[in-house]
Amino acid sequence: MTEAYIYDAVRSPRGKGRKDGSLHEVTSLRLSAQILNAVKERNNLDGHAVEDVIWGNVTQVGEQGGCLARSAVLASDLDESIPGLSINRFCASGMEAVNLAANQVKGGAGEAYIAGGVEMMGRVPMGSDGAAIAVDPSIAMKTYFVPQGISADLIATEYGFSRDDVDALAVESQRRAKEAWDDRRFARSIVTIRDQNGLPILDHDEFMRPGTDMQTLGALKPSFKDMGENMPGFDKVAIMKYPHLERLEHVHHAGNSSGIVDGAAAILVGSKEFGEKYGLKPRARIRATAKIGTDPTIMLTGPVPVTQKILADNGMAISDLDLFEVNEAFAAVVLRFQQAFDVDPAKVNVNGGSIAMGHPLGATGAMIIGTLLDELERSDKEVGLATLCIASGMGAATIIERV
């Protein structure tokens, strides 16, 4: 089987996902096109250099509707002979785009792909596309549906994570992200985003709050307590599924949950022959990919079983991995991963995560693969795993190895 290699990884800075965010004036199409242009220019691609652009985005309505991937190709400087495929696996959409591209290369269906994703959460609000599992009683009742915030608090309750535990992880995420930016660890991957006149409008992750401490977070009220305990009373739904719990401990809030931001990211994936053709040196081999379904009520535990699956499928142990990127959708997600595998926290999200920098849904999976690659190179490590929890109860994972 042909090997699939990563030749480049780029991303936009994450902008605050609201009207005063620096990227708010930029459409999903324009941001996607700028990222695709960066891949083209950095790697001197011409003509039908890649087989396809596989682009993840979660809220596929309005400006993110239709086949945004194809529109982005046409809006970019890529050749119009390159098609485009938009995909949605919720928060793992960007990762699934990369994994799909890698497996297409491995299977011989083209020599190279650009894969990644975009989410303009300040322009296309999360949930504005609707979701059967949330609004159709025939599936909501069957699955004991609860919102993700309730699921995060359910994880904390089930696995014994206190308010101090989740707040401490959030403080550390902020500290690590600031250290990473101060040390210019993202410099190789960041693409400065420009307005229609070519003027720079954002060159850094602007969501970060480096002054965050335990006292600051301690003053915040739990975000999901009211919807859990009062109308519509989702705590009761969760306890119907987990009857051994007497009550849910509501420990998550805006400060220890992922930030709502705008952003895009792309990975250039190709075969050895593709690299030789364009004079490119591979940075890493995509060693393995995996996805799995999990309980949709607790919903966000997917990183644990999908990691178990990817390791078992490839004859590996957790000790074979040097670094981990576990998306910080909520603090309890990362704590559960560390608990399940007894992983040294110093190896997990070394440069901070989505609590500090934000979680642009359709782009995050590609972003954390790029961050993992950059950190493997910086710290001279060999093998790393990136993984995300996913809405409706799923998990996705990618193992990469430096070459």
Side-chain angles (χ1 to χ4, degrees):
M1 182 177 290
T2 302
E3 295 285 2
Y5 297 97
I6 296 176
Y7 286 95
D8 201 6
V10 302
R11 73 170 177 92
S12 74
R14 297 166 170 103
K16 294 177 183 177
R18 52 182 189 236
K19 291 183 179 180
D20 63 347
S22 295
L23 297 181
H24 187 71
E25 68 182 77
V26 184
T27 65
S28 307
L29 177 64
R30 281 179 52 212
L31 186 63
S32 299
Q34 286 196 43
I35 295 300
L36 293 179
N37 284 342
V39 176
K40 179 183 186 297
E41 292 163 8
R42 286 162 55 122
N43 299 280
N44 297 313
L45 304 180
D46 58 7
H48 196 89
V50 298
E51 188 74 15
D52 204 353
V53 169
I54 306 177
W55 212 236
N57 67 285
V58 175
T59 310
Q60 297 189 358
V61 295
E63 68 180 54
Q64 292 184 169
C67 183
L68 180 59
R70 175 58 177 166
S71 297
V73 170
L74 295 174
S76 75
D77 297 330
L78 292 174
D79 195 273
E80 67 177 15
S81 66
I82 299 170
L85 172 65
S86 291
I87 66 168
N88 181 4
R89 199 188 290 277
F90 296 126
C91 297
S93 296
M95 175 176 285
E96 193 61 40
V98 176
N99 290 354
L100 179 57
N103 291 327
Q104 293 278 81
V105 170
K106 289 181 179 182
E111 289 190 343
Y113 289 75
I114 298 174
V118 68
E119 206 78 35
M120 299 302 291
M121 300 181 74
R123 296 178 60 90
V124 186
M126 179 171 54
S128 58
D129 55 341
I133 196 169
V135 300
D136 186 334
S138 68
I139 184 67
M141 295 176 67
K142 176 184 177 182
T143 58
Y144 296 88
F145 169 80
V146 297
Q148 288 190 25
I150 299 295
S151 297
D153 286 338
L154 178 56
I155 293 172
T157 306
E158 175 74 359
Y159 295 102
F161 305 130
S162 69
R163 172 68 181 261
D164 281 352
D165 293 333
V166 291
D167 282 357
L169 186 140
V171 169
E172 181 64 7
S173 179
Q174 295 283 356
R175 186 195 69 78
R176 292 183 182 188
K178 181 181 186 303
E179 183 179 87
W181 269 102
D182 289 348
D183 201 30
R184 294 182 53 79
R185 297 179 192 174
F186 303 125
R188 181 171 184 176
S189 299
I190 290 290
V191 174
T192 297
I193 302 305
R194 300 179 181 275
D195 66 13
Q196 290 180 314
N197 298 313
L199 299 175
I201 55 177
L202 189 64
D203 63 1
H204 65 281
D205 291 323
E206 68 174 346
F207 183 80
M208 293 164 51
R209 291 157 290 182
T212 300
D213 56 25
M214 292 294 286
Q215 289 70 34
T216 303
L217 297 185
L220 299 178
K221 294 182 179 180
S223 295
F224 311 105
K225 182 180 177 69
D226 188 57
M227 71 167 66
E229 296 181 353
N230 303 313
M231 289 297 292
F234 283 113
D235 283 10
K236 293 181 180 178
V237 178
I239 291 171
M240 288 174 66
K241 190 71 173 286
Y242 290 80
H244 58 282
L245 299 177
E246 294 183 4
R247 61 190 299 271
L248 263 63
E249 298 295 332
H250 290 286
V251 297
H252 287 93
H253 50 73
N256 57 34
S257 306
S258 56
I260 294 174
V261 295
D262 303 325
I267 307 286
L268 177 60
V269 179
S271 65
K272 180 181 178 182
E273 290 73 20
F274 166 78
E276 292 172 345
K277 179 179 179 180
Y278 284 91
L280 301 175
K281 182 180 178 181
R283 296 173 62 188
R285 175 170 69 100
I286 298 180
R287 185 164 169 176
T289 69
K291 60 268 186 184
I292 202 167
T294 65
D295 170 31
T297 304
I298 203 166
M299 194 184 310
L300 308 173
T301 54
V304 174
V306 80
T307 298
Q308 293 169 335
K309 174 177 169 54
I310 200 170
L311 292 175
D313 287 351
N314 292 277
M316 300 176 69
I318 200 74
S319 58
D320 294 326
L321 302 170
D322 299 311
L323 292 174
F324 304 86
E325 284 289 324
V326 183
N327 186 42
E328 294 175 352
F330 299 88
V333 173
V334 182
L335 291 173
R336 173 56 190 148
F337 181 89
Q338 293 174 174
Q339 179 191 67
F341 296 104
D342 193 25
V343 172
D344 181 358
K347 296 181 178 181
V348 181
N349 301 343
V350 172
N351 297 306
S354 292
I355 290 173
M357 294 176 284
H359 176 19
L361 306 177
T364 303
M367 283 188 175
I368 66 173
I369 292 173
T371 298
L372 179 62
L373 174 56
D374 284 343
E375 183 57 26
L376 285 171
E377 292 174 338
R378 186 192 74 86
S379 59
D380 195 26
K381 305 295 185 183
E382 297 300 321
V383 184
L385 173 133
T387 183
L388 302 94
C389 60
I390 310 173
S392 298
M394 293 183 282
T398 308
I399 293 176
I400 64 173
E401 180 179 16
R402 283 178 61 204
V403 295

